[in-house]
Amino acid sequence: MGKPGPDGRFGGFGGRFVPETLVPALQELEAAFVEAWADPAFTSELDSLLGSYAGRPSPLTECHRLSEELGVRLLLKREDLNHTGSHKINNVLGQALLARRMGKSRLVAETGAGQHGVATATAAALFGLECDVYMGEVDMARQELNVFRMRLLGARVMPASSGSRTLKDAVNDAMRDWVATVEDSHYCLGSVMGPHPYPWMVREFHRVLGREAESQCRDLLEGGLPDTVVACVGGGSNAAGIFSGFAEHPEVDLVGVEPAGGAAVGHGVPGIVHGMLSYLMQDEWGQVTEAESISAGLDYPGVGPEHSHLAETGRAEYPSVTDDEVVEAFVSLSRTEGIIPALESAHALAWVIRERERLESCTVLVNLSGRGDKDVDQMMGLLGDRL
Ligand SMILES: *Cc1c(COP(=O)(O)O)cnc(C)c1O
């Protein structure tokens, strides 16, 4: 997984489909990122923050009891143990550091379930930057706790009140804000999506995850690598991060798991949304449809363009799992390993559980992208007395 082409394409996907007014801002951002990423002072400051603030490296955990139950050797990359509870901190620390280097004093972000908003507000607090987070009105009502967290961290939460009042409307509002405020603001996009250079830059900020995992696997497996690497896919950032550590090894299978209600690669068609050309879910009229799954964090109707490319070239596969399978995986990991996973991450695990016969005796690395504390309330409502 290298650099995209000069026009920001991964194969035929990606690009920069934005209004003229945004092009200079994206060019400025690309130039600043290229320069910073080649500057050891920038990368070493980021590495040091990832260690002293985010808690990296995250451990690799071998799941002895669940492995035995499944007949698969299961390893977990523990992004759930990072500060703020997921992989998202890698990206926001990188972008906040870049924003400061570019002389920007404000971060704008979009959020769906609120997790990226909380991570951005966290980085803004750390660097003393102003922070405005756009969030669909419907999502604000569904995710009250994260709205309060963002406010507690000093951010303003801006309701997105157009369209379906969910994530895709929040992205549109955040982009519109950025066009008008680009002098002093940086748009801190939350996944490997949007116009070039975001899909590439965000993947690079998550590369640390794949690099660590590859080296931890080498240590544990006496120089070997897992047979299969599995991650859940919303926009695709945690998957891109872990895939980047293994993509150069053709013997390692890469699997990105989508929710059945938001299978952009599995059931979508190529189209343009949020400045990129990629697989997305559309109705027969070409309207982008709403994704819907048990985990709000995966409810994105599209997927990052590099995943579309990995799917088209056959380097990675993108199956989907149902909400019921996810709930079963959520309970299984809790009970066998004492780890409550984020519902998003439980998608990756659910695929392993379903495919255990095909994976018999294989070593499988699952990216545990986040912890499940945020989902316990929802699961209590769903499972109630059944446990
Ligand atoms: C946000 C989130 C995701 C989905 O985002 P990607 O960009 O697809 O990684 C997955 N897992 C957790 C825990 C998240 O918070």
Side-chain angles (χ1 to χ4, degrees):
M1 293 166 74
K3 269 191 174 177
D7 53 351
R9 296 288 185 128
F10 298 94
F13 299 100
R16 190 178 269 170
F17 296 87
V18 295
E20 273 316 304
T21 47
L22 256 187
V23 172
L26 291 164
Q27 283 169 339
E28 182 201 2
L29 176 61
E30 181 183 357
F33 171 66
V34 167
E35 195 240 340
W37 209 224
D39 178 358
F42 180 85
T43 50
S44 72
E45 186 174 4
L46 180 56
D47 285 347
S48 127
L49 269 177
L50 289 170
S52 65
Y53 187 73
R56 302 206 73 88
S58 68
L60 187 76
T61 298
E62 174 143 23
C63 295
H64 294 286
R65 292 190 62 217
L66 189 52
S67 294
E68 182 156 324
E69 201 174 294
L70 298 176
V72 173
R73 186 173 184 189
L74 182 66
L75 311 176
L76 299 179
K77 177 63 175 160
R78 300 292 305 281
E79 292 298 293
D80 60 315
L81 295 178
N82 296 337
H83 180 44
T84 70
S86 80
H87 66 292
K88 288 190 167 77
I89 194 78
N90 307 326
N91 173 41
V92 296
L93 287 179
Q95 289 200 47
L97 207 56
L98 186 62
R100 197 185 62 184
R101 186 183 172 98
M102 294 172 76
K104 314 271 171 164
S105 57
R106 173 175 174 262
L107 299 180
V108 190
E110 81 295 336
T111 197
Q115 297 300 111
H116 175 60
V118 169
T120 305
T122 300
L126 177 67
F127 288 101
L129 302 169
E130 266 185 79
C131 183
D132 286 332
V133 181
Y134 286 88
M135 188 171 190
E137 277 178 340
V138 170
D139 291 331
M140 281 179 72
R142 282 196 291 220
Q143 308 287 340
E144 280 179 328
L145 214 53
N146 277 339
V147 172
F148 179 72
R149 279 194 186 100
M150 286 183 261
R151 289 180 175 150
L152 181 63
L153 290 160
R156 282 196 301 178
V157 182
M158 320 287 277
S161 53
S162 60
S164 55
R165 297 175 293 147
T166 58
L167 176 59
K168 74 175 157 57
D169 313 293
V171 177
N172 289 331
D173 283 6
M175 281 190 175
R176 208 168 295 133
D177 179 314
W178 192 41
V179 175
T181 60
V182 65
E183 283 289 296
D184 64 357
S185 301
H186 169 70
Y187 178 20
C188 184
L189 217 158
S191 191
V192 288
M193 41 157 281
H196 179 60
Y198 283 103
W200 170 48
M201 179 176 74
V202 174
R203 182 251 279 161
E204 289 298 286
F205 286 141
H206 283 301
R207 191 179 272 281
V208 58
L209 195 180
R211 193 165 50 231
E212 282 175 16
E214 197 247 10
S215 130
Q216 290 166 323
C217 285
R218 295 267 188 215
D219 287 345
L220 183 75
L221 306 173
E222 291 166 2
L225 289 174
D227 299 293
T228 306
V229 173
V230 191
C232 64
V233 174
S237 67
N238 85 87
I242 200 153
F243 287 1
S244 72
F246 300 90
E248 313 309 320
H249 304 288
E251 70 277 21
V252 179
D253 291 337
L254 306 177
V255 180
V257 184
E258 297 188 294
V265 183
H267 301 299
V269 290
I272 291 170
V273 72
H274 298 143
M276 62 178 179
L277 172 62
S278 197
Y279 278 102
L280 63 123
M281 304 207 318
Q282 293 175 319
D283 64 18
E284 58 185 310
W285 314 108
Q287 290 287 340
V288 177
T289 56
E290 282 296 299
E292 208 170 312
S293 83
I294 194 165
S295 73
L298 295 183
D299 284 355
Y300 183 62
V303 67
E306 192 168 24
H307 288 294
S308 294
H309 178 58
L310 291 170
E312 194 155 274
T313 56
R315 180 63 190 93
E317 61 174 303
Y318 295 85
S320 57
V321 293
T322 65
D323 287 353
D324 287 346
E325 292 172 317
V326 171
V327 173
E328 185 199 327
F330 179 82
V331 175
S332 265
L333 191 70
S334 302
R335 297 199 155 183
T336 55
E337 301 294 335
I339 299 170
I340 302 175
L343 279 173
E344 293 86 351
S345 324
H347 283 69
L349 216 53
W351 179 82
V352 177
I353 294 174
R354 185 176 76 205
E355 301 296 325
R356 59 186 176 274
E357 281 176 23
R358 159 182 164 188
L359 297 168
E360 199 185 337
S361 314
C362 289
T363 300
V364 177
L365 170 64
V366 166
N367 194 29
L368 204 74
S369 55
R371 68 178 84 124
D373 305 30
K374 65 182 179 59
D375 301 314
V376 166
D377 206 39
Q378 183 190 351
M379 285 299 99
M380 189 167 73
L382 191 80
L383 295 167
D385 311 332
R386 274 201 278 149
L387 295 181

